[in-house]
Amino acid sequence: MLISIAYMLMLGMFLGWICRKMRLPALMGMIFTGIVLGPHVLDLIDGSILTISADLRKIALIIILTRAGLSLDLNDLKKVGRPAVLMCFVPACFEMAGMVILAPKLLGITLLDAAIMGSVVAAVSPAVIVPKMLKLMEEGYGTEKGIPQLILAGASVDDVFVIVMFTAFTNLAQSGEFSAGSIAGIPVSILLGIAAGAVIGIALAKYFEKVHIRDTAKVVIILCVAFILVTLEDSLKTAVPFSGLIAIMCVGIALQKKRNVVARRLSVKFNKLWVAAEILLFVLVGATIDMEYAVSAGAAAILLILGVLVFRMAGVLLCLLKTGLTMKERGFCMFAYMPKATVQAAIGGVPLAMGLSCGNIVLTVAVLAILITAPLGAFLIDLTYRKWLA
């Protein structure tokens, strides 16, 4: 296991550095590292790491969402208002609708299979978007109009909405019954996540005020709380809908609101943790990719992904109507809401594991969506933000 981790970190850093030198996103090099070291090419990643790959990816996601919460100013978010709420579900709905319209014609699958595929592909990737938006906030681009904050907030809730829709569609495919209760659970899970995160964040702020401990110890405490919240989400999902990831982000927001100086210091600590976590996340995402599946789908699947991206961009544009954003700023938001990686890697293989007839093609399209949109979206963000944002 140790030699596998060494390979992943060293080669991931090296190829990421090469990509940056070529003015490409570093994550492209990290994903390629995972493909090369993964079980489908050189098979140099220990099987025990692949077994816990989903948990390791979740830890990386927890780190970046905590950092996002510690950096997100609610006052800036309030300036955005209505578009922030719409961005949580409208672009995803547009993309799922596009999949239902296009996939049966391009791939010859049923409407239900297309809906399942759409619910896998429609999720945006916080792992790609959050670091980019934090960078914009640190450099001051677009912050006056709340553009990074808008995209940060939307991306965190977007995943919850899409995963609930995915669960509803796969249940329908298995049992023939559509669960309206699971759809109704979306706002409940979001509200409970916000409430739990706010209460815990305020409690931690008071604890850190009264008990003086090192910032490193505070980071460990916050991570432990985050792990508990994610575990609670998994254990309570059959009884009470609850979003652990939103709760984690809200812990950071509440802590930042009550203890701003401490939150800034902790954000720096989480930023350092992200250096290694980012490499592990995208290398492990790359390791899940089977290039044979990707090649077998052919041009039709690529055309489908590009087609549903157009639907997604139309959804983003609709959310931004009647705002004070310029056309360039709206164009940037459309590009920034494009990348996919984490959710697709996490649930892309679930329909196949469930024995659904659409399993192979859903996994293939999910893989291609990662390979196309993650580097393309990251590249377009880096290319445009200095030119299009104030």
Side-chain angles (χ1 to χ4, degrees):
M1 180 187 287
L2 294 179
I3 193 66
S4 296
I5 294 173
Y7 288 150
M8 291 161 64
L9 291 175
M10 291 174 66
L11 190 58
M13 282 192 293
F14 177 65
L15 293 183
W17 175 77
I18 288 178
C19 285
R20 276 195 295 267
K21 287 292 183 183
M22 298 168 62
R23 306 183 75 84
L24 295 170
L27 67 89
M28 286 184 66
M30 297 169 195
I31 291 174
F32 184 68
T33 298
I35 294 171
V36 172
L37 295 180
H40 305 294
V41 184
L42 295 181
D43 195 18
L44 291 178
I45 299 179
D46 192 275
S48 57
I49 294 177
L50 294 175
T51 303
I52 60 170
S53 172
D55 292 318
L56 292 174
R57 294 199 304 269
K58 192 167 283 186
I59 289 171
L61 190 58
I62 284 169
I63 289 170
I64 196 60
L65 285 176
T66 306
R67 184 183 162 212
L70 291 168
S71 305
L72 186 60
D73 191 337
L74 281 182
N75 292 326
D76 290 335
L77 193 57
K78 286 175 184 175
K79 295 176 187 175
V80 182
R82 174 186 58 86
V85 177
L86 294 178
M87 290 282 276
C88 296
F89 64 93
V90 171
C93 287
F94 268 62
E95 191 164 4
M96 283 188 276
M99 189 68 79
V100 169
I101 293 169
L102 299 176
K105 296 176 182 177
L106 290 171
L107 300 179
I109 59 177
T110 66
L111 289 175
L112 179 56
D113 289 347
I116 292 171
M117 186 182 294
S119 63
V120 171
V121 173
V124 75
S125 175
V128 179
I129 290 176
V130 172
K132 297 290 183 187
M133 295 306 109
L134 290 175
K135 181 183 176 185
L136 264 65
M137 289 163 65
E138 288 165 4
E139 296 182 13
Y141 283 95
T143 51
E144 189 175 332
K145 292 186 178 180
I147 292 170
Q149 297 90 327
L150 162 71
I151 295 168
L152 267 180
S156 61
V157 181
D158 171 276
D159 286 358
V160 177
F161 172 74
V162 168
I163 289 170
V164 171
M165 295 300 294
F166 170 76
T167 304
F169 289 136
T170 49
N171 286 343
L172 177 59
Q174 275 194 314
S175 64
E177 297 179 0
F178 187 79
S179 173
S182 63
I183 306 301
I186 295 174
V188 177
S189 67
I190 292 169
L191 291 173
L192 284 178
I194 292 171
V199 169
I200 294 169
I202 292 169
L204 285 175
K206 290 183 177 178
Y207 176 75
F208 293 154
E209 185 178 4
K210 291 180 180 179
V211 181
H212 297 285
I213 54 177
R214 294 176 60 183
D215 286 344
T216 306
K218 292 171 185 171
V219 168
V220 172
I221 291 171
I222 292 171
L223 284 176
C224 291
V225 168
F227 296 160
I228 292 169
L229 287 170
V230 170
T231 306
L232 272 177
E233 178 182 3
D234 294 335
S235 58
L236 293 177
K237 62 184 177 183
T238 54
V240 181
F242 168 74
S243 172
L245 294 179
I246 289 178
I248 289 164
M249 198 167 176
C250 288
V251 168
I253 293 171
L255 190 55
Q256 182 244 127
K257 196 76 176 171
K258 295 293 181 181
R259 299 277 289 162
N260 188 262
V261 175
V262 173
R264 281 204 298 268
R265 293 203 310 265
L266 293 179
S267 181
V268 173
K269 294 282 186 183
F270 275 98
N271 194 23
K272 292 175 181 177
L273 277 178
W274 177 244
V275 173
E278 179 185 31
I279 299 169
L280 286 176
L281 173 63
F282 287 111
V283 169
L284 289 172
V285 166
T288 65
I289 294 173
D290 186 343
M291 292 306 295
E292 287 185 19
Y293 276 129
V295 172
S296 67
I302 296 173
L303 186 62
L304 175 64
I305 291 165
L306 296 176
V308 296
L309 278 179
V310 173
F311 277 82
R312 183 176 192 85
M313 289 181 175
V316 173
L317 192 59
L318 179 64
C319 295
L320 301 177
L321 291 178
K322 296 184 179 180
T323 62
L325 302 186
T326 66
M327 284 309 298
K328 285 185 177 180
E329 288 167 338
R330 295 180 193 188
F332 172 81
C333 293
M334 290 159 69
F335 289 151
Y337 229 53
M338 178 191 297
K340 304 168 190 303
T342 325
V343 174
Q344 288 71 28
I347 66 174
V350 172
L352 183 62
M354 293 171 71
L356 299 180
S357 59
C358 63
N360 273 326
I361 191 62
V362 168
L363 179 59
T364 302
V365 172
V367 166
L368 283 172
I370 294 170
L371 290 174
I372 292 170
T373 65
L376 179 61
F379 174 73
L380 289 172
I381 291 170
D382 289 341
L383 181 69
T384 59
Y385 81 92
R386 285 191 176 94
K387 301 174 183 176
W388 292 6
L389 302 183

